Every structure is written in C-alpha cells, then in structure tokens.
Amino acid sequence: MNKNAIQKYAIWARNELIEQVKQRAYQYGISDKGYGDEYAQVVAGRVLTPGEKRQRQEFVGEIKRRGYQQAVEEVAYTWFNRFVALRFLEVNDYLPTHVRVFSDASGAVSPGGGLNPEILKDVLHLDLPGLDKAKVSELLNANATEELYRYLLLTQCNALNEALPEMFEQMGSYTEMLLPNNILKQDGVLGRLVADIPEEEWRLRTQKDISDIKAGLDEKGASVGQVEIIGWMYQYYNTEPKQAVFDGLKKNIKITKEKIPAATQLFTPDWIVRYMVENSLGRLWLENHPNSGLKANWKYYLDEAEQTPEVAEKLRVLRAQSPVKSPEDIRLIDPCMGSGHILAYAFDVLMQIYESEGYNPRDAAKLILEKNLHGLDIDRRAYQLAYFSLMMKARQYNRRIFTEGASPQVYYPNGNAELEELGSLLKVDKPIPMPEFSELISLFEPGYEEKMHVWNYKRLLSDKYDVVVTNPPYMGGSGMSAKMSEYVKDNYPDSKSDLFAVFIEKCGELLKPSGYQAMITQHAWLFLSSYEKLRGKLVHRDIVNMAHLGARAFEEIGGEVVQTTTFVLSQRNITDFEATYVRLVDYSSQQAKEEAFLAAKDRHTAKKENFEKIPGYPVAYWVSKSGINAFQAKPLNTLASPKQGLITGNVARFVRIWYEVDFSKVSVTNDTTRKWFPYSNGGEYRKWYGNNFDIVNWENDGFEVQNFVDENGKQRSRPQNRQFYFAEMGTWTAISSGDFSVRYYPEGGLFSNAGMAIFSNPELLKYLIALLNTKVVKYFLSVISETLNYNQGDIAKLPVRLSADKDIINLAERNIGLSRDDWDAFETSWGFKKHPLI
C-alpha cells in the first residue's frame, strides 16, 4: 500500500475542501464574519430558490450550534467521506448502475486533461433512480457540463441513500448547497483522488480470488479483501487536527469532546489487528471446536502453553460449559471502533468460521452483520466509515446485500452530549426502553432516528459479549476535560491516570464469564506505580498471552513516544495458569517486530502468581525464578530514605548554573548566610560523583521560593522533604535515556524532582551507592519499572541484602574520590584548581 500517496492526498484534500466549502458558503452570504439575515431570500442580488433558502437556514442553524469553523469542517469531511466511498464503489464495480462516477474504466482521459467520468457519457440513457431526463437534456443543450456533472453526482449520492443510508443522506441537505465548485478540474479534489492514489489500492479481491485462496491470505499475508484504505484515509485526514490538539496540550489547553477523535485516533497495524482477533475470536471458536482446521489459516495465533494436568483439567471443564456452540452464538464488540479496521478483519474470521460449519457465504454475510459484530464510536465520521467498511465486506460475499435491508450493528451518539464526551465509558447497568415513534416533529428535541442511535448505543453498552476487541484512546489526565476527569475518578479510580487503562476495566465489564478481551494499549500499566491498583485487580484474571511491543510498533510514530503492548485477557482466574508472552521491545521497527513474532523468537511463559511476589505486582513475565526469589529480601526503604526534593515552580527565576552569578554569593562550604546553594538537578549518565552544575536561590531559608505564587494566589513551588536539605546524599537523574547511575553529593546542598536523592547514615549511604551502581540493580529496576523514569518509589522497592564485607565501602569511597578528581579537573567544576596536564 502506497501510504505516502494516501497521506499526502488526504492532508491536502482536507485543506482544499475546507476552502472550497468556505467559498460556496460565501456565495450564500455566509462567512466567519457572520451570515446576515438568517431568513434571507436574496443574496448578492440573486433570488434564492425555496430549496436554497431552506438549506441556507439549516446551515446557519448548524453554525449557531457548532460555530462557523466546526460547521465548515463537518461539511468538508462529509464530502470527503462520500468521495472516498464513491471511489471505492466504482473501482470494485459495486455501484448499482455499474457506471463510474469519477473515472473511465478503460483509463481514457478527458481531451481537456480533466476528469473523464463514465457517468457523463450517453447520459440520456443512464438508468439512475431519481434522474430528471428533462433537466439533463436542458443542461446538455446549454453545454453546461460542470452543472450537469454536479447534478449527476448529487443524484447518484441520493440514489445510494436506500442502499447505504448512513453514508449517503437524501438529497436536499445543506451539504448539497456546499458541494465544491469546479468539481471537474484536473487538479481538484476529485481529479487528484483519481490520479494520486493508484486504482489497485481501492480494489477488493474478487470471489474467484477468494475461492482460489482457501486459507484466506494473499501471498504477502494480508487478509483477503481488507478495506484498509478507508482507515488510512481517516487517520491521515486528521493529521493536522491531531497535531493542533497536541500543540494545545503544551499550552495546557484541554481536549474538548469535539477534538477527542482527532487526538486519539491511531490506526492499528494490520498484523496486530490479526493477532488480537485470532487470539480472542479465533481462540473462542477453537476451544469449542478443537478439531477445526481453521487454526492453519491464523498465522498470528499463539498456541496455549503447556499446563500442568490439574490446570488442563480445570480448563477442559470450563470450556465444556461455554455457551458458544454455533457461529450465530458469537457476539463481538469493538467499543472504540474508529473506522472499523478491527471489525473488518473479525468479519473475515467469522466468514471462515461460518463456512467451516457449512453455511452459504451469502447467508453468512448477512448473519455476521446482524448477529455477530457490534461497534461504537463517538465520532460520526469514523462511524460512517466503519459502517461503510462492513457493508463492503458483506458485499464481497452477497451481491444483494444492499437490497436485503441488512445493516451493521454500529452506532454513534448522534447529538447526545453525554455520550459524545464519555462514549463507551458510560455505565449502563440495565437496558433502557426503546423510544416510541412519533409523527410529531419538535424543533427542540432530536428526531426518532437520532433517539434510536442513542438508544442502540446504550443498548450495546448494557449487554455482555463473548469477545471484546479494541484499540482504545490514549489520553492522560492532563488532557481530559473537567467532566471526563471527574467521571473516571468517580467510576474508575484504579485506572484514572489514562483512558487506555480505564478501557481495560471497561472492556472487562462488557465481557461474559467465558469470553476473551483483546486490546493494544500503552505498556505503562504493566509496571508503573500509578497503575498498581489496576494490576491488583488483573492478577485475579488470566492473561492468556501478550506481545509486548515497546516503542516503534506504529511505523507512523517515531521515537519513544508511544510504547505499547497487545494482549488477550480472559475472565477466568485459574491458579498456576501458564501464559505466553512475546517480548518484542528490542526490535526497532514495526516490520522487525512482526517478523520476530512470526519467527517465534523471544517467547516466555509465566504464572501471574509470580507477579504478586514482586512489590507493586509488575507484569514481569521475563524474570527468572531466582530473580523473583531475590525480591523476598528487605526493600531498600527499610534501610534508607529515597526522596523527591524541591520543585521551585520557576526554574528560570530560581535556578542558575554556578558560573552565571557572583561566586562570592554561592555557598559551597555549607555557609547558610549566602543566597545560592548547590542544587542536585539531574544531568547526564555519570557514576559516583559529578553533574554539579546547578545552584538554587535559597536565601533566608528559601523565603522567596517558598512564597512564590501565581496570579491566582496559588503556591507554585513545592519545597518537599525539607528535613533532608543540606544532608549528604546519593543522587540520581530521574529521567534518563541511559542506564541508572548514582552519585555522591556532600553536605550543604539541596535536591530536586529531576535529581532525586537517597539518605542514610554515612557508611550505609556509600554502601548503597555502590549497590545502586551495579548491573544487579539495573536488572531489578527493569523488573519494577521498564521505563526511562527512575522515581523514588521504584528505588524504595529495590531488594537489598547487606554484606559484612568492609571492602565494598572502601571501594565505593575510592571510586567517589577518583570520580571527584576527574570532575574537578575541568573548569566547569567549582572545585577546579588546575588542569591535570599542566
């Protein structure tokens, strides 16, 4: 797939469509400056038709509700969705007329170099429902090709309403009024859609292809008939809005409900989707049909680890009680479905299951839509694409699906403010009554269709499922709105730090006792202390298997920004169950991780009971038995005090490098009458001694720092653990891209949150500094917290066994002395006297 071409086009098309919609709106007297008379009948000297007048009023009403910019962007995206859908339909010959709307199947181009749509040829004989032949003749006689094409395009969209009502609304909406100008231009939105993205990117496999490839895979391992391009179009269209949200976060601007989709949408790599679906949906089926040959089709399926006879018998009994006997019994939901990528692959797997049971593919396609698959999303645009993707999957197997009244069980909030913000996190403990249909129309209440969407959304949330599969939004507390933050604190206090963790709990709530939950999330919940209570809950459920991905699992995201893990949970809690883990954190690209997974590399088995033997319950699946036993020793905080220190609230105001000030005012000899004091504030990797650059204003016992407040009178500084100020300490850098290292810091200084510190009596302190600088501690830290952050809580948990060997302390003192001499040998040290080579 040519993702570069798709990305370039989608980003450009968004901006172009927004400008084109603004131009059309301006022709009707509407701009960011206002709209004049809401009920205007004449605009710029032109009398509006009754239809134009009504459409203009509707659009003004939308501006009143959402604001001008948001209303314009919604229209632009609506047309983008329709154009994507029409292109997909025409390339795969799924249009009921079998006449292309944007291109010529033969590849012929217009004599003028622009679009050459088949729909403009022999137009008087076009069999298109709703087409006014008299109007067509009139436009042909007037040689009004542009206007004729606009009319044909709108009529085609209207004709598709019956087959795909959630993608193509009936003609007459204000979006019709705002269809861009110059639609036939070669370098316009449609011209570039056809020219920039190769036709093969849109094409599904034919029924012959599907028959020829019994395993359901092509030569590259991609699933047959995937509709991936739809998801990539959605993600790349949101590239700039997503960046705008992240830029806003840097300025402490919260993410509003309108911006949540752009901020959190992340298209899941195909192989990870397949891992999740095959190891949840596929596993559910195989457990009840062990003699099925379907497993050979699922190359990302992980066989269960060998179990003890006792565990194997418990599993056998539980699986015999499963309610899933027929494919029609399976209920799967993606509560954060986005553009439907996961649901689309689940469709493929379900089709294989149905066919293995002797079902006709045509009947199976309809059953999958109506019985098996369910999906929810807060974004109408994503919902439309998920709906469309599933209809296209069904159309692969059932040529009459558009006329059989089948519709995917996918929904969005449709104007419900609470659901638009909370989405699938809303707790719905019992079914709510179905809305009653009324012919009466109110200007102040949503219509029946809107009410049904909301009812269906809540209906799905009140139910339980055999399989829950999703890639949830990743959003920390700092980005949440006040309402969202309050809601998760009240309802999910053990996972409130980030929405991905909240969804781990939520998906468990949606799951039946015999079901499977498959997710890809940030990997922080495996070990960070902020998720300790969540882990405390999860150790009472079986992790079936996991692919620990780490950084760079998404080729669109570089660096260490998003570090992930994908896993499958069950509701069971079987003592001594051996789970399978694949450790892929050391592979540096999406492709390398996939290849290592398929090569069966870096696989481990572990029992969840072992995690409880380690402080904080980290999911340390790769730790050896001896490593786990080592944690039975005393934790370090029983022998010493690891602490976080002074946070000034304004580094630029209170912190300097020592040579930036009058050195006579700097206390490097514990002189409390001076203004500036040594300040351990982190720094690069360095053991034993050094990184002594910073000084902090602590004049008059820190009077100015301690009384530093913001414009609202709220204290900005945090002078914590003051009883340890000026004591000798071992200090380390809290956030480091390198290994953990500890340095001795003599009496007379302060420490910070970036340069944390440990305190004890002089001899034990140097012993502990020696211990903390060993590879053993590096190993233990990787168990407790596999991140680049080394906080005082993690250090406190380190196991310590004291040795009576005095040589350790002597060696530590010698190393500290050598490192101090090295540090003081350069002019950047305040202890410098002369260069050693002089």
Side-chain angles (χ1 to χ4, degrees), residues 128-173:
L128 184 61
L131 189 67
D132 184 341
K133 296 294 180 70
K135 182 170 183 177
V136 170
S137 295
E138 180 184 335
L139 293 170
L140 282 172
N141 292 333
N143 200 26
T145 306
E146 176 81 21
E147 191 175 347
L148 172 61
Y149 183 65
R150 292 174 65 86
Y151 172 66
L152 293 173
L153 178 57
L154 291 168
T155 305
Q156 175 65 87
C157 289
N158 188 56
L160 287 167
N161 170 256
E162 185 176 353
L164 298 165
E166 299 302 320
M167 181 63 77
F168 298 96
E169 60 190 15
Q170 290 184 339
M171 189 181 290
S173 146

Short mmCIF file of all heavy atoms in Angstrom, two decimals, residues 128-173:
data_model
loop_
_atom_site.label_atom_id
_atom_site.label_comp_id
_atom_site.label_asym_id
_atom_site.label_seq_id
_atom_site.Cartn_x
_atom_site.Cartn_y
_atom_site.Cartn_z
N LEU A 128 -30.51 5.76 -13.69
CA LEU A 128 -30.18 6.22 -12.34
C LEU A 128 -31.46 6.69 -11.65
O LEU A 128 -32.11 7.63 -12.12
CB LEU A 128 -29.17 7.37 -12.42
CG LEU A 128 -28.63 7.92 -11.10
CD1 LEU A 128 -27.89 6.85 -10.31
CD2 LEU A 128 -27.71 9.11 -11.36
N PRO A 129 -31.89 6.05 -10.58
CA PRO A 129 -33.12 6.45 -9.89
C PRO A 129 -33.13 7.93 -9.53
O PRO A 129 -32.13 8.46 -9.04
CB PRO A 129 -33.11 5.58 -8.63
CG PRO A 129 -32.29 4.40 -8.99
CD PRO A 129 -31.24 4.90 -9.92
N GLY A 130 -34.25 8.59 -9.78
CA GLY A 130 -34.40 9.99 -9.44
C GLY A 130 -33.88 10.95 -10.48
O GLY A 130 -33.96 12.16 -10.32
N LEU A 131 -33.31 10.42 -11.59
CA LEU A 131 -32.73 11.30 -12.61
C LEU A 131 -33.84 11.96 -13.43
O LEU A 131 -34.72 11.30 -13.97
CB LEU A 131 -31.82 10.49 -13.53
CG LEU A 131 -30.98 11.30 -14.52
CD1 LEU A 131 -29.94 12.13 -13.77
CD2 LEU A 131 -30.28 10.37 -15.51
N ASP A 132 -33.81 13.29 -13.51
CA ASP A 132 -34.77 14.08 -14.30
C ASP A 132 -34.19 14.24 -15.71
O ASP A 132 -33.30 15.06 -15.94
CB ASP A 132 -34.97 15.44 -13.63
CG ASP A 132 -36.03 16.29 -14.32
OD1 ASP A 132 -36.35 16.02 -15.49
OD2 ASP A 132 -36.51 17.24 -13.69
N LYS A 133 -34.68 13.43 -16.65
CA LYS A 133 -34.14 13.43 -18.02
C LYS A 133 -34.34 14.78 -18.70
O LYS A 133 -33.50 15.22 -19.50
CB LYS A 133 -34.81 12.33 -18.85
CG LYS A 133 -34.52 10.91 -18.34
CD LYS A 133 -33.05 10.55 -18.51
CE LYS A 133 -32.74 9.14 -18.01
NZ LYS A 133 -33.29 8.09 -18.83
N ALA A 134 -35.46 15.47 -18.38
CA ALA A 134 -35.71 16.79 -18.96
C ALA A 134 -34.63 17.78 -18.53
O ALA A 134 -34.13 18.57 -19.34
CB ALA A 134 -37.09 17.29 -18.57
N LYS A 135 -34.28 17.73 -17.26
CA LYS A 135 -33.23 18.63 -16.76
C LYS A 135 -31.89 18.28 -17.39
O LYS A 135 -31.11 19.18 -17.74
CB LYS A 135 -33.14 18.53 -15.24
CG LYS A 135 -32.12 19.47 -14.64
CD LYS A 135 -32.21 19.53 -13.12
CE LYS A 135 -31.22 20.54 -12.56
NZ LYS A 135 -31.34 20.67 -11.09
N VAL A 136 -31.63 16.99 -17.58
CA VAL A 136 -30.39 16.56 -18.22
C VAL A 136 -30.32 17.11 -19.65
O VAL A 136 -29.28 17.64 -20.08
CB VAL A 136 -30.29 15.02 -18.23
CG1 VAL A 136 -29.13 14.56 -19.11
CG2 VAL A 136 -30.10 14.50 -16.81
N SER A 137 -31.42 16.98 -20.40
CA SER A 137 -31.45 17.49 -21.78
C SER A 137 -31.21 18.99 -21.81
O SER A 137 -30.48 19.51 -22.66
CB SER A 137 -32.81 17.17 -22.42
OG SER A 137 -32.99 15.79 -22.56
N GLU A 138 -31.82 19.69 -20.87
CA GLU A 138 -31.67 21.14 -20.81
C GLU A 138 -30.21 21.52 -20.57
O GLU A 138 -29.68 22.43 -21.23
CB GLU A 138 -32.55 21.69 -19.67
CG GLU A 138 -32.48 23.20 -19.49
CD GLU A 138 -33.28 23.67 -18.29
OE1 GLU A 138 -34.24 22.97 -17.89
OE2 GLU A 138 -32.94 24.73 -17.74
N LEU A 139 -29.55 20.83 -19.68
CA LEU A 139 -28.14 21.14 -19.38
C LEU A 139 -27.23 20.73 -20.52
O LEU A 139 -26.24 21.42 -20.82
CB LEU A 139 -27.72 20.44 -18.08
CG LEU A 139 -28.40 20.94 -16.80
CD1 LEU A 139 -28.10 20.04 -15.63
CD2 LEU A 139 -27.95 22.38 -16.49
N LEU A 140 -27.57 19.62 -21.19
CA LEU A 140 -26.78 19.20 -22.36
C LEU A 140 -26.88 20.24 -23.46
O LEU A 140 -25.87 20.61 -24.10
CB LEU A 140 -27.27 17.84 -22.87
CG LEU A 140 -26.80 16.60 -22.09
CD1 LEU A 140 -27.53 15.37 -22.59
CD2 LEU A 140 -25.28 16.42 -22.23
N ASN A 141 -28.09 20.73 -23.73
CA ASN A 141 -28.30 21.71 -24.80
C ASN A 141 -27.59 23.03 -24.49
O ASN A 141 -27.16 23.74 -25.40
CB ASN A 141 -29.79 21.96 -25.01
CG ASN A 141 -30.49 20.75 -25.59
OD1 ASN A 141 -29.87 19.93 -26.28
ND2 ASN A 141 -31.78 20.59 -25.31
N ALA A 142 -27.48 23.33 -23.20
CA ALA A 142 -26.80 24.57 -22.79
C ALA A 142 -25.29 24.38 -22.70
O ALA A 142 -24.57 25.33 -22.38
CB ALA A 142 -27.35 25.05 -21.46
N ASN A 143 -24.84 23.16 -22.98
CA ASN A 143 -23.40 22.84 -22.88
C ASN A 143 -22.85 23.15 -21.47
O ASN A 143 -21.70 23.56 -21.32
CB ASN A 143 -22.61 23.60 -23.94
CG ASN A 143 -21.25 22.94 -24.21
OD1 ASN A 143 -21.09 21.73 -24.00
ND2 ASN A 143 -20.28 23.73 -24.63
N ALA A 144 -23.71 22.97 -20.47
CA ALA A 144 -23.33 23.26 -19.07
C ALA A 144 -22.79 21.99 -18.42
O ALA A 144 -23.42 21.37 -17.55
CB ALA A 144 -24.54 23.79 -18.31
N THR A 145 -21.61 21.56 -18.86
CA THR A 145 -21.04 20.28 -18.41
C THR A 145 -20.81 20.26 -16.90
O THR A 145 -21.11 19.26 -16.23
CB THR A 145 -19.72 20.00 -19.15
OG1 THR A 145 -19.94 20.07 -20.55
CG2 THR A 145 -19.18 18.63 -18.78
N GLU A 146 -20.26 21.34 -16.37
CA GLU A 146 -19.98 21.40 -14.93
C GLU A 146 -21.26 21.26 -14.12
O GLU A 146 -21.34 20.47 -13.17
CB GLU A 146 -19.27 22.71 -14.58
CG GLU A 146 -19.00 22.93 -13.10
CD GLU A 146 -17.76 22.21 -12.60
OE1 GLU A 146 -16.89 21.87 -13.42
OE2 GLU A 146 -17.66 21.98 -11.39
N GLU A 147 -22.28 22.01 -14.49
CA GLU A 147 -23.55 21.97 -13.76
C GLU A 147 -24.21 20.60 -13.92
O GLU A 147 -24.81 20.07 -12.98
CB GLU A 147 -24.48 23.08 -14.25
CG GLU A 147 -25.70 23.25 -13.36
CD GLU A 147 -26.56 24.44 -13.79
OE1 GLU A 147 -26.09 25.27 -14.60
OE2 GLU A 147 -27.70 24.52 -13.30
N LEU A 148 -24.11 20.03 -15.13
CA LEU A 148 -24.68 18.70 -15.37
C LEU A 148 -23.99 17.67 -14.48
O LEU A 148 -24.66 16.82 -13.87
CB LEU A 148 -24.50 18.31 -16.84
CG LEU A 148 -24.88 16.86 -17.20
CD1 LEU A 148 -26.34 16.59 -16.90
CD2 LEU A 148 -24.55 16.57 -18.67
N TYR A 149 -22.66 17.74 -14.37
CA TYR A 149 -21.94 16.77 -13.56
C TYR A 149 -22.31 16.92 -12.08
O TYR A 149 -22.49 15.91 -11.38
CB TYR A 149 -20.43 16.93 -13.74
CG TYR A 149 -19.64 15.90 -12.97
CD1 TYR A 149 -19.73 14.54 -13.30
CD2 TYR A 149 -18.83 16.26 -11.89
CE1 TYR A 149 -19.02 13.59 -12.58
CE2 TYR A 149 -18.12 15.32 -11.17
CZ TYR A 149 -18.22 13.98 -11.52
OH TYR A 149 -17.53 13.02 -10.82
N ARG A 150 -22.44 18.15 -11.62
CA ARG A 150 -22.85 18.37 -10.22
C ARG A 150 -24.21 17.72 -9.97
O ARG A 150 -24.42 17.07 -8.94
CB ARG A 150 -22.92 19.86 -9.91
CG ARG A 150 -21.57 20.57 -9.88
CD ARG A 150 -21.76 22.09 -9.71
NE ARG A 150 -22.34 22.40 -8.42
CZ ARG A 150 -21.64 22.55 -7.29
NH1 ARG A 150 -20.32 22.43 -7.32
NH2 ARG A 150 -22.23 22.83 -6.17
N TYR A 151 -25.12 17.90 -10.93
CA TYR A 151 -26.46 17.33 -10.78
C TYR A 151 -26.39 15.79 -10.77
O TYR A 151 -27.04 15.15 -9.95
CB TYR A 151 -27.37 17.82 -11.91
CG TYR A 151 -28.71 17.13 -11.94
CD1 TYR A 151 -29.63 17.31 -10.90
CD2 TYR A 151 -29.07 16.28 -12.99
CE1 TYR A 151 -30.85 16.66 -10.90
CE2 TYR A 151 -30.29 15.63 -13.00
CZ TYR A 151 -31.17 15.82 -11.95
OH TYR A 151 -32.39 15.16 -11.96
N LEU A 152 -25.60 15.21 -11.67
CA LEU A 152 -25.47 13.76 -11.72
C LEU A 152 -24.83 13.21 -10.44
O LEU A 152 -25.24 12.16 -9.91
CB LEU A 152 -24.63 13.34 -12.93
CG LEU A 152 -25.23 13.61 -14.31
CD1 LEU A 152 -24.21 13.30 -15.40
CD2 LEU A 152 -26.49 12.78 -14.53
N LEU A 153 -23.82 13.91 -9.94
CA LEU A 153 -23.14 13.48 -8.72
C LEU A 153 -24.10 13.48 -7.53
O LEU A 153 -24.17 12.52 -6.76
CB LEU A 153 -21.94 14.38 -8.44
CG LEU A 153 -21.11 14.10 -7.17
CD1 LEU A 153 -20.59 12.68 -7.17
CD2 LEU A 153 -19.96 15.09 -7.05
N LEU A 154 -24.87 14.56 -7.41
CA LEU A 154 -25.83 14.65 -6.31
C LEU A 154 -26.93 13.60 -6.45
O LEU A 154 -27.38 13.01 -5.47
CB LEU A 154 -26.43 16.05 -6.25
CG LEU A 154 -25.47 17.17 -5.81
CD1 LEU A 154 -26.06 18.54 -6.07
CD2 LEU A 154 -25.12 17.02 -4.33
N THR A 155 -27.37 13.37 -7.69
CA THR A 155 -28.40 12.36 -7.91
C THR A 155 -27.88 10.96 -7.58
O THR A 155 -28.60 10.14 -7.01
CB THR A 155 -28.88 12.42 -9.38
OG1 THR A 155 -29.32 13.74 -9.69
CG2 THR A 155 -30.04 11.45 -9.60
N GLN A 156 -26.62 10.69 -7.92
CA GLN A 156 -26.02 9.39 -7.59
C GLN A 156 -25.94 9.21 -6.08
O GLN A 156 -26.25 8.13 -5.55
CB GLN A 156 -24.63 9.27 -8.21
CG GLN A 156 -23.88 8.00 -7.84
CD GLN A 156 -24.54 6.75 -8.38
OE1 GLN A 156 -24.29 6.33 -9.49
NE2 GLN A 156 -25.39 6.12 -7.57
N CYS A 157 -25.53 10.25 -5.37
CA CYS A 157 -25.46 10.18 -3.90
C CYS A 157 -26.85 9.90 -3.33
O CYS A 157 -27.02 9.07 -2.42
CB CYS A 157 -24.90 11.47 -3.32
SG CYS A 157 -23.14 11.72 -3.62
N ASN A 158 -27.86 10.59 -3.87
CA ASN A 158 -29.23 10.40 -3.39
C ASN A 158 -29.71 8.98 -3.67
O ASN A 158 -30.39 8.35 -2.85
CB ASN A 158 -30.15 11.41 -4.06
CG ASN A 158 -31.55 11.41 -3.46
OD1 ASN A 158 -31.70 11.59 -2.27
ND2 ASN A 158 -32.55 11.17 -4.29
N ALA A 159 -29.34 8.44 -4.84
CA ALA A 159 -29.77 7.09 -5.21
C ALA A 159 -29.16 6.04 -4.29
O ALA A 159 -29.74 4.96 -4.09
CB ALA A 159 -29.39 6.81 -6.67
N LEU A 160 -28.00 6.33 -3.72
CA LEU A 160 -27.34 5.38 -2.83
C LEU A 160 -27.90 5.43 -1.41
O LEU A 160 -27.51 4.62 -0.56
CB LEU A 160 -25.83 5.64 -2.79
CG LEU A 160 -25.06 5.23 -4.05
CD1 LEU A 160 -23.66 5.81 -4.04
CD2 LEU A 160 -25.01 3.70 -4.17
N ASN A 161 -28.80 6.37 -1.16
CA ASN A 161 -29.36 6.50 0.19
C ASN A 161 -30.07 5.23 0.64
O ASN A 161 -29.96 4.80 1.78
CB ASN A 161 -30.32 7.69 0.24
CG ASN A 161 -31.12 7.75 1.52
OD1 ASN A 161 -32.29 7.40 1.54
ND2 ASN A 161 -30.48 8.17 2.59
N GLU A 162 -30.81 4.60 -0.27
CA GLU A 162 -31.55 3.41 0.11
C GLU A 162 -30.62 2.25 0.44
O GLU A 162 -30.85 1.49 1.38
CB GLU A 162 -32.50 3.00 -1.03
CG GLU A 162 -33.41 1.83 -0.66
CD GLU A 162 -34.41 1.51 -1.75
OE1 GLU A 162 -34.50 2.27 -2.74
OE2 GLU A 162 -35.11 0.49 -1.61
N ALA A 163 -29.53 2.11 -0.32
CA ALA A 163 -28.59 1.01 -0.09
C ALA A 163 -27.67 1.28 1.08
O ALA A 163 -27.37 0.39 1.88
CB ALA A 163 -27.77 0.77 -1.36
N LEU A 164 -27.18 2.54 1.20
CA LEU A 164 -26.20 2.90 2.24
C LEU A 164 -26.65 4.19 2.91
O LEU A 164 -26.01 5.25 2.78
CB LEU A 164 -24.82 3.08 1.60
CG LEU A 164 -24.22 1.84 0.93
CD1 LEU A 164 -23.05 2.23 0.04
CD2 LEU A 164 -23.78 0.81 1.97
N PRO A 165 -27.74 4.15 3.67
CA PRO A 165 -28.33 5.39 4.21
C PRO A 165 -27.44 6.14 5.18
O PRO A 165 -27.56 7.35 5.32
CB PRO A 165 -29.61 4.89 4.89
CG PRO A 165 -29.37 3.44 5.17
CD PRO A 165 -28.53 2.96 4.04
N GLU A 166 -26.53 5.43 5.88
CA GLU A 166 -25.69 6.11 6.86
C GLU A 166 -24.51 6.84 6.21
O GLU A 166 -23.86 7.65 6.86
CB GLU A 166 -25.18 5.11 7.89
CG GLU A 166 -26.27 4.43 8.68
CD GLU A 166 -27.15 5.41 9.43
OE1 GLU A 166 -26.62 6.39 9.98
OE2 GLU A 166 -28.37 5.21 9.48
N MET A 167 -24.25 6.56 4.96
CA MET A 167 -23.17 7.24 4.24
C MET A 167 -23.70 8.29 3.29
O MET A 167 -23.10 9.35 3.11
CB MET A 167 -22.34 6.21 3.47
CG MET A 167 -21.15 6.79 2.71
SD MET A 167 -19.92 7.56 3.77
CE MET A 167 -19.10 6.12 4.42
N PHE A 168 -24.86 8.04 2.70
CA PHE A 168 -25.42 8.96 1.70
C PHE A 168 -26.82 9.37 2.14
O PHE A 168 -27.77 8.59 2.03
CB PHE A 168 -25.49 8.28 0.32
CG PHE A 168 -24.15 7.90 -0.22
CD1 PHE A 168 -23.66 6.62 -0.07
CD2 PHE A 168 -23.36 8.85 -0.88
CE1 PHE A 168 -22.42 6.26 -0.57
CE2 PHE A 168 -22.12 8.51 -1.38
CZ PHE A 168 -21.64 7.21 -1.23
N GLU A 169 -26.93 10.58 2.66
CA GLU A 169 -28.25 11.06 3.08
C GLU A 169 -29.04 11.51 1.85
O GLU A 169 -28.48 11.70 0.76
CB GLU A 169 -28.10 12.22 4.06
CG GLU A 169 -27.36 13.41 3.49
CD GLU A 169 -27.01 14.44 4.56
OE1 GLU A 169 -27.09 14.09 5.76
OE2 GLU A 169 -26.67 15.56 4.19
N GLN A 170 -30.34 11.68 2.03
CA GLN A 170 -31.19 12.07 0.92
C GLN A 170 -30.87 13.47 0.43
O GLN A 170 -30.45 14.34 1.19
CB GLN A 170 -32.67 12.00 1.33
CG GLN A 170 -33.16 10.57 1.52
CD GLN A 170 -34.64 10.51 1.82
OE1 GLN A 170 -35.22 11.50 2.25
NE2 GLN A 170 -35.25 9.36 1.59
N MET A 171 -31.09 13.69 -0.86
CA MET A 171 -30.82 14.99 -1.46
C MET A 171 -31.68 16.07 -0.79
O MET A 171 -32.81 15.83 -0.42
CB MET A 171 -31.11 14.94 -2.96
CG MET A 171 -30.67 16.20 -3.71
SD MET A 171 -31.06 16.12 -5.47
CE MET A 171 -29.92 14.87 -6.02
N GLY A 172 -31.11 17.24 -0.67
CA GLY A 172 -31.84 18.36 -0.08
C GLY A 172 -31.17 18.93 1.13
O GLY A 172 -31.49 20.03 1.58
N SER A 173 -30.18 18.25 1.71
CA SER A 173 -29.47 18.76 2.87
C SER A 173 -28.59 19.95 2.47
O SER A 173 -28.27 20.15 1.31
CB SER A 173 -28.62 17.63 3.46
OG SER A 173 -27.43 18.10 3.99
#
